[in-house]
Amino acid sequence: MGPLERLRKEWFILGIVLVIAVARLEPGVGVKGGPLKPEITITYIAVSAIFFNSGLSLKTEELTSALMHVKLHLFVQIFTLVFFPTAIWVFLQLLSITPINEWLLKGLQTVGCMPPPVSSAVILTKAVGGNEAAAIFNSAFGSFLGIVVTPLLLLLFLGSSSSVPFTSIFSQLFMTVVVPLIIGQIVRRYIKDWLERKKPPFGAISSCVLLMIIYTTFCDTFANPNIDLDKFSLIIVVFIIFSVQMSFMFLTFLFSTRNNSTFTPADTVAIVFCSTHKSLTLGIPMLKIVFAGYEHLSLISVPLLIYHPAQILLGSLLVPTIKSWMVSRQKRSDKDVFAGTGAGEMSDRATKMSGVPWHKVTSGLMDFGLFLPFLRKEGTEINQAAQSTREGIIVEMACVTVNVYMYYTVHTDN
């Protein structure tokens, strides 16, 4: 990949660095009350635009296929919105006695309270070949759930540091988040064919608006001479973020692959990415609302700004390794269908799949001394036809069952 292609691919991360640098050079432009009037253009227009765009882009009509996988969805949402923020809170109690900047530590807590992202977890799950439908469902459902749960978690763990009353916070969340999201979904129903045909760059649009929000947030920071960020705290927080990301990915992997787990390897891939990724697109606007007018808002936002590229970087680096693991586990599972069981267990399994009394078939063939040679022959053909695909295996076993049953019926009739 050449330098220009790399720049084109990573333009958003570079954009974050650029807008922070511009805010540092000239903070007066985007400060509250400045020429950009962020108290109106950002607080209402930009935030509403992001969630209207999310409403247009969320393909909720495609989520029905994944709706019934309740256990997986519960795992992801509970881990993301209950275990994650609670574990971070416990960890921060230990870090509170260190000299790390307290506002950066509060920022780590906000990371834990965020919902899963709409895009990155889905993209990485698809790149590995995991359960993409489950990833889409949990990203979309988590985004909807986060609209209500995330502000509650922020207020629970951090309290409202804003001068804005509690009821006002949620009324603003409703008007700038929920209403635009619903309107976006309604509009999508009428222009869905056009959207599928033209494929507008929803991600790029949201990212550009998000850069404006980040810019004005840091303008407020640099315009305040009382705020100082030491390099030691920043370096330690970066290290903590990468460590938390890796630890939680490993933890979700262990939970979803334990012996009594019913999750497939493809499910595990979706779980690992959806449970540990956090949304910057939804997070920054929510922080802007919940902590409106707070002078340390930008410092609280820093960990989330670091976590976003960290999750993409780590996920991209781990894609080949996770893909190799998933393929090997799927091959092993497919082999176990034939090699891992005796004739009795295979009989019961075939009976359940086809409705044919397989135990009668096998006992009849045993009388003719034909069972083992036939099974070996057909087993070889199945392996060739199935190509390590579970659906193919099920179809082929059903066909073999019916064929053998017909063979048995003909011979007993005669």
Side-chain angles (χ1 to χ4, degrees):
M1 183 181 293
L4 288 178
E5 189 176 349
R6 172 65 68 180
L7 287 173
R8 198 177 300 116
K9 185 177 181 181
E10 308 295 346
W11 70 272
F12 179 65
I13 295 175
L14 292 173
I16 292 176
V17 176
L18 181 62
V19 296
I20 293 175
V22 173
R24 179 72 181 87
L25 292 173
E26 192 58 52
V29 176
V31 77
K32 186 176 181 179
L36 286 183
K37 300 292 181 185
E39 61 273 18
I40 297 174
T41 58
I42 300 300
T43 303
Y44 294 99
I45 300 174
V47 174
S48 298
I50 282 181
F51 286 96
F52 174 75
N53 190 57
S54 296
L56 278 178
S57 61
L58 281 175
K59 299 180 180 181
T60 48
E61 67 272 8
E62 295 181 1
L63 304 182
T64 52
S65 61
L67 186 61
M68 300 308 295
H69 209 332
V70 178
K71 186 178 178 180
L72 188 152
H73 306 327
L74 284 174
F75 183 98
V76 171
Q77 300 304 327
I78 291 173
F79 191 95
T80 305
L81 296 172
V82 178
F83 178 82
F84 202 127
T86 305
I88 292 293
W89 181 82
V90 172
F91 182 52
L92 291 182
Q93 302 311 301
L94 301 175
L95 292 179
S96 61
I97 61 174
T98 66
I100 301 174
N101 187 293
E102 64 171 311
W103 305 111
L104 290 181
L105 293 181
K106 289 180 182 291
L108 286 173
Q109 185 64 69
T110 67
V111 171
C113 298
M114 292 301 144
V118 177
S119 58
S120 64
V122 175
I123 292 169
L124 291 170
T125 300
K126 185 177 182 179
V128 174
N131 191 338
E132 186 182 358
I136 293 172
F137 179 91
N138 281 283
S139 295
F141 182 69
S143 298
F144 284 117
L145 200 61
I147 292 171
V148 176
V149 176
T150 293
L152 289 175
L153 289 173
L154 290 172
L155 294 170
L156 174 66
F157 286 108
L158 299 174
S160 177
S161 299
S162 170
S163 58
V164 181
F166 183 84
T167 53
S168 180
I169 290 174
F170 277 91
S171 64
Q172 187 176 343
L173 279 170
F174 182 78
M175 293 305 298
T176 59
V177 175
V178 179
V179 172
L181 198 67
I182 294 173
I183 293 174
Q185 282 285 284
I186 294 172
V187 173
R188 177 180 173 80
R189 292 184 60 185
Y190 293 98
I191 62 171
K192 185 173 67 174
D193 293 338
W194 181 85
L195 292 174
E196 293 296 327
R197 190 169 60 252
K198 296 295 183 179
K199 299 187 183 303
F202 292 115
I205 294 170
S206 288
S207 296
C208 289
V209 178
L210 191 59
L211 288 175
M212 288 180 58
I213 297 175
I214 295 170
Y215 168 71
T216 57
T217 299
F218 277 86
C219 282
D220 288 334
T221 300
F222 295 127
N224 188 338
N226 298 322
I227 293 179
D228 183 35
L229 177 61
D230 60 291
K231 294 179 181 179
F232 169 77
S233 294
L234 188 60
I235 293 171
I236 294 297
V237 165
V238 170
F239 174 76
I240 291 172
I241 285 172
F242 274 91
S243 300
V244 166
Q245 175 80 359
M246 286 296 295
S247 299
F248 282 0
M249 289 181 78
F250 183 65
L251 193 61
T252 53
F253 179 82
L254 287 181
F255 279 145
S256 59
T257 56
R258 65 190 189 280
N259 290 334
N260 60 344
S261 171
T262 58
F263 298 127
T264 66
D267 292 339
T268 296
V269 174
I271 287 170
V272 167
F273 288 127
C274 291
S275 300
T276 59
H277 280 215
K278 295 294 184 177
S279 177
L280 179 69
T281 306
L282 304 180
I284 293 294
M286 285 187 181
L287 290 179
K288 195 82 173 176
I289 294 171
V290 176
F291 298 99
Y294 193 55
E295 63 177 4
H296 292 99
L297 173 60
S298 60
L299 294 184
I300 293 175
S301 306
V302 165
L304 185 57
L305 293 173
I306 297 172
Y307 196 93
H308 175 75
Q311 67 189 9
I312 296 173
L313 175 62
L314 285 175
S316 301
L317 291 175
L318 290 172
V319 161
T321 303
I322 297 176
K323 188 171 186 177
S324 176
W325 168 84
M326 188 187 73
V327 171
S328 65
R329 281 294 296 268
Q330 286 176 333
K331 286 182 178 178
R332 190 189 311 168
S333 298
D334 293 337
K335 287 179 182 178
D336 289 344
V337 172
F338 297 103
T341 59
E345 188 176 343
M346 187 175 285
S347 301
D348 294 337
R349 191 180 304 167
T351 300
K352 291 177 181 178
M353 287 190 293
S354 63
V356 177
W358 173 262
H359 61 282
K360 292 182 180 180
V361 178
T362 55
S363 62
L365 287 172
M366 279 292 198
D367 291 339
F368 289 98
L370 296 173
F371 174 71
L372 291 176
F374 177 83
L375 187 60
R376 278 197 293 269
K377 176 176 179 296
E378 291 299 321
T380 302
E381 292 176 3
I382 291 173
N383 275 311
Q384 293 173 348
Q387 296 293 331
S388 300
T389 304
R390 188 163 298 177
E391 291 82 2
I393 291 170
I394 292 173
V395 171
E396 291 291 341
M397 282 197 69
C399 292
V400 170
T401 303
V402 173
N403 288 335
V404 176
Y405 182 71
M406 291 174 64
Y407 178 89
Y408 169 73
T409 304
V410 170
H411 279 71
T412 51
D413 288 344
N414 292 334

